[in-house]
Amino acid sequence: MKLILLGAPGAGKGTQAEVICKHLGIPAISTGNILREALKSGTEMGLKAKAFMDAGQLVPDEIVIGIIKDRLAEEDCKNGFILDGFPRTLHQAEVLDEMLDRKGINLDAVIEIQVPDEIIMERILGRYACMKCGQGYHDKFQKPKVYGVCDVCGGTDFFRRVDDNKTTVQNRLVNYRALTYPTIPYYEKKGLLRCVDGTGTIEAVSNKVDSILGIK
């Protein structure tokens, strides 16, 4: 199955991509994660992307498209994939279509996860992660069982992403409305778009997605 998950930052795309990945055994491809790893490793691509990411701006198309092209060529994508966070512009959507057409690949569905801005803000500003293993937590929705101790590895050091602040999140939402939202009618015209209310629990949203995809 070949899927795209769309939605504003903090809508839950990454979480749902992981769930679908486990159900179907296909890779979840997050451009954000790939870029952050490149940034952490200090690669040329990471350094180019850093200024844009820190300001909550979209990384230029040529960088992101190159990443996706290389990733889709890997062996584990032969039986399907989930694109999380790509395409982020109408141009990227059109280039992706051309890329897939050349490979003889058809998308099965594009799922938009819909969440109001005020809930997105609460979700993003409250999230943090274990410095040692990367396990994610939230001030309100997902606290460690023991305060200050990671459930997974027992680590006691945590961090918040530099771009998880009110100003940057607002910029990201503005960018989403201006640049990414035009992909919604684009995929709707193709008959691929499916919309899901993303305001419930992870399990509730996952059940809705499973129903759309016909996953038992």
Side-chain angles (χ1 to χ4, degrees), residues 38-120:
L39 191 156
K40 183 179 179 181
S41 302
T43 64
E44 181 180 356
M45 180 180 67
L47 294 174
K48 287 181 179 179
K50 185 178 188 304
F52 296 95
M53 295 172 69
D54 286 349
Q57 298 176 1
L58 296 180
V59 177
D61 281 357
E62 61 269 20
I63 297 176
V64 180
I65 290 170
I67 291 171
I68 294 298
K69 182 178 180 180
D70 291 343
R71 184 64 183 88
L72 291 180
E74 295 184 21
E75 185 68 20
D76 63 344
C77 291
K78 286 181 64 176
N79 296 321
F81 52 80
I82 307 161
L83 289 175
D84 161 23
F86 183 90
R88 291 191 176 186
T89 66
L90 184 56
H91 173 64
Q92 288 181 3
E94 293 168 343
V95 171
L96 176 63
D97 273 352
E98 294 171 2
M99 193 186 306
L100 296 179
D101 283 345
R102 287 195 294 269
K103 294 175 177 288
I105 296 172
N106 295 315
L107 290 170
D108 292 293
V110 177
I111 299 176
E112 182 199 8
I113 302 176
Q114 301 175 330
V115 180
D117 286 1
E118 60 270 20
I119 294 179
I120 285 174

Side-chain angles (χ1 to χ4, degrees), residues 1 3 5 16 19-20 23-24 108-109 111 194-197 202-216:
M1 189 171 287
L3 305 172
L5 295 187
Q16 293 304 319
V19 174
I20 299 170
H23 286 172
L24 299 180
D108 292 293
I111 299 176
R194 307 289 185 272
C195 299
V196 172
D197 178 0
I202 292 174
E203 183 179 5
V205 177
S206 178
N207 287 338
K208 295 173 187 175
V209 174
D210 286 353
S211 178
I212 288 173
L213 299 178
I215 300 175
K216 301 286 186 176

Side-chain angles (χ1 to χ4, degrees), residues 91-206:
H91 173 64
Q92 288 181 3
E94 293 168 343
V95 171
L96 176 63
D97 273 352
E98 294 171 2
M99 193 186 306
L100 296 179
D101 283 345
R102 287 195 294 269
K103 294 175 177 288
I105 296 172
N106 295 315
L107 290 170
D108 292 293
V110 177
I111 299 176
E112 182 199 8
I113 302 176
Q114 301 175 330
V115 180
D117 286 1
E118 60 270 20
I119 294 179
I120 285 174
M121 188 68 72
E122 181 181 36
R123 286 180 178 180
I124 293 179
L125 297 184
R127 67 188 183 185
Y128 61 99
C130 174
M131 185 75 75
K132 186 176 180 181
C133 72
Q135 174 63 32
Y137 296 98
H138 193 279
D139 293 330
K140 180 179 179 181
F141 305 119
Q142 189 179 355
K143 299 178 181 180
K145 295 177 182 176
V146 177
Y147 178 78
V149 180
C150 177
D151 296 341
V152 176
C153 70
T156 56
D157 292 323
F158 298 85
F159 72 96
R160 298 179 190 268
R161 280 172 43 180
V162 175
D163 55 346
D164 281 356
N165 61 76
K166 188 173 182 179
T167 299
T168 300
V169 173
Q170 288 174 335
N171 287 340
R172 291 166 69 190
L173 289 171
V174 168
N175 278 326
Y176 176 75
R177 300 285 182 255
L179 300 175
T180 306
Y181 201 77
T183 63
I184 303 298
Y186 175 79
Y187 286 118
E188 186 174 21
K189 288 180 181 178
K190 289 176 173 286
L192 292 169
L193 185 68
R194 307 289 185 272
C195 299
V196 172
D197 178 0
T199 58
T201 64
I202 292 174
E203 183 179 5
V205 177
S206 178

